[in-house]
Amino acid sequence: MTTGAAAGRVGIPGAPRRESGRNPQVAGTGAASVTGRTEQTHSETERLMEEIISRGNMMAALSRVVANKGAPGMDNMPVTALKGYLHEHWPRIKEELLAGRYRPQPVLKVEIPKPGGGTRMLGIPTVLDRLIQQAVHQVLSQLFNPGFSAHSYGFMPKRSTHQAVKAAQQYVRSGRRWVVDIDLEKFFDRVNHDILMSLVKRKVKDRRVLKLIDSYLKAGMFAGGIVSPRQEGTPQGGPLSPLLSNILLDELDKELEKRGHTFCRYADDCNIYVATKASGQRVMASITSYLSERLKLTVNQAKSEVNRPWKRTFLGYTMSWHPKARLKVGEKAVTKFKDTLRKICKYGRGWSMARTIKEANPKLRGWVNYFCLAGNTTIFQELDSWFKRKLRAILWRQWKRSHTRANNLIKLGFSSDAAWRFVRNQRGPWATAGKFNMHRLLTNTYFSKLGLISLQEQYLRLARVS
């Protein structure tokens, strides 16, 4: 089951059918049109639960959850089992939702390492709760998204990281050559439930929906066989968390707009662009106070700073100091990417070269697609050269014995004497891979024939298209 039509054949028993001509669509974060209306009356927002469990909305949510796959929650139910579960239990679930009695299960606590050190906590809901959250998200996004700031780019339909980075570049080009880089400390873990729910209530009048959202916020955290209660935070991992984070941080956006600031926000990453260092320091102090007093959020002082844009990174990019502020790939992004390729190369010692290249290509393609806004090809050239050297080192390790290495070098064009002299140099794989003779024998064409894509060529192709 991979499409809305397939979900319709499965059916969610007892779900009200929608009127014809009001087909839901789900795209990106699920914030695409569900009702076809951009505004709803007060009476309609008092009956949002009926809209949420309507057949068309549930079918769209089901398709989205199935397409996203994802890991099971604390009940270990896989996405593939959701279809059968709904056949049997949907009438009861629908009745509980309409009566305001539905209670979500605790989320499964998962910690993943962060690139800069430390861990990020995820809360994985059960697949049933992911379905219901997605259905709620699709309806609530129609109420809230139209009112969100144009300076907000995260988890929004038809907005992207590239748009945020380009906007930041334009601010710097216009003369705002200082940035107030604000990092919120453990934002998703520290969201104040009371403040968030008060903001949700501005547009949601259906008490059943409010109760359901509140129950998702307070759902316990399951780890090590123990369920811990939660009084704050909206852990990443559920479909509803991105929308709720935008609802809360839209208050920050509106405050910055009221003060006349130019800024870009992507989720909890917020950069404010100003003309002088002194004004940046004043903004940092006043916004830190606002976040603490009004939204009960803490600014991470160690990671936040007033500095030049070319000394900071935003969404992986930094800039040059020139008036045109050319975009560049941040150093941390390069380091993280190299670490990813190193892991592939480590496993690749036991693979064929063709398989290693096949595993690496999606990573290479995705990275260059994201960083295609960079202003020159130097970094792509350097990474191409570095990765091919890693591949040559893999081959040298795989050949292992001296006679195997000598025979392979002879096959590639070395004379017998030259091959044995090269083998006896007693250098390690990385040093050997950097030798001119290895480059001469294991050429770019050799790797291209095995299917390896070139970061530089991909970048130039994307640059021509744009």
Side-chain angles (χ1 to χ4, degrees), residues 202-218:
R202 291 179 180 178
K203 294 190 176 183
V204 176
K205 306 303 177 184
D206 191 323
R207 294 184 179 181
R208 297 165 298 178
V209 176
L210 292 171
K211 188 175 181 181
L212 179 64
I213 296 171
D214 189 60
S215 67
Y216 275 122
L217 289 173
K218 291 182 169 60

Side-chain angles (χ1 to χ4, degrees), residues 158-310:
K158 298 181 180 179
R159 298 188 196 175
S160 67
T161 52
H162 281 184
Q163 290 175 335
V165 169
K166 287 179 179 179
Q169 182 186 34
Q170 290 303 317
Y171 293 147
V172 177
R173 285 178 172 178
S174 70
R176 296 175 177 87
R177 294 173 67 81
W178 288 88
V179 61
V180 182
D181 188 349
I182 295 175
D183 182 275
L184 296 176
E185 187 172 347
K186 296 184 177 180
F187 167 72
F188 285 93
D189 302 337
R190 301 280 178 84
V191 170
N192 184 284
H193 291 174
D194 292 336
I195 293 174
L196 176 57
M197 287 306 300
S198 70
L199 298 173
V200 174
K201 288 177 183 177
R202 291 179 180 178
K203 294 190 176 183
V204 176
K205 306 303 177 184
D206 191 323
R207 294 184 179 181
R208 297 165 298 178
V209 176
L210 292 171
K211 188 175 181 181
L212 179 64
I213 296 171
D214 189 60
S215 67
Y216 275 122
L217 289 173
K218 291 182 169 60
M221 187 76 72
F222 179 80
I226 300 174
V227 177
S228 304
R230 196 167 75 240
Q231 300 301 322
E232 63 177 3
T234 170
Q236 295 168 276
L240 199 52
S241 291
L243 176 61
L244 295 178
S245 69
N246 269 341
I247 290 172
L248 180 64
L249 290 177
D250 188 60
E251 291 298 292
L252 171 62
D253 297 342
K254 295 298 192 291
E255 180 67 19
L256 292 173
E257 288 173 346
K258 186 173 71 175
R259 299 183 185 189
H261 291 307
T262 53
F263 66 97
C264 297
R265 183 178 67 79
Y266 192 97
D268 56 333
D269 287 336
C270 184
N271 277 8
I272 308 166
Y273 295 89
V274 296
T276 66
K277 183 177 182 179
S279 60
Q281 291 172 336
R282 287 195 298 270
V283 170
M284 175 67 83
S286 62
I287 293 302
T288 298
S289 177
Y290 172 84
L291 288 167
S292 175
E293 295 174 6
R294 296 288 296 275
L295 301 182
K296 306 301 180 185
L297 296 173
T298 303
V299 172
N300 188 327
Q301 298 295 336
K303 294 183 178 180
S304 301
E305 188 179 2
V306 178
N307 210 326
R308 297 291 194 177
W310 47 91

Side-chain angles (χ1 to χ4, degrees), residues 37 110 132 147 179 196 204 218 245 259 289 321 344 368 379-380 384 430 437:
R37 296 168 294 181
V110 177
I132 296 171
V179 61
L196 176 57
V204 176
K218 291 182 169 60
S245 69
R259 299 183 185 189
S289 177
W321 56 268
I344 294 174
V368 73
I379 186 61
F380 303 104
D384 271 336
W430 178 249
N437 283 333

Side-chain angles (χ1 to χ4, degrees), residues 66-81:
V66 170
N68 285 342
K69 299 179 181 179
M74 65 163 289
D75 62 354
N76 290 319
M77 181 194 296
V79 171
T80 52

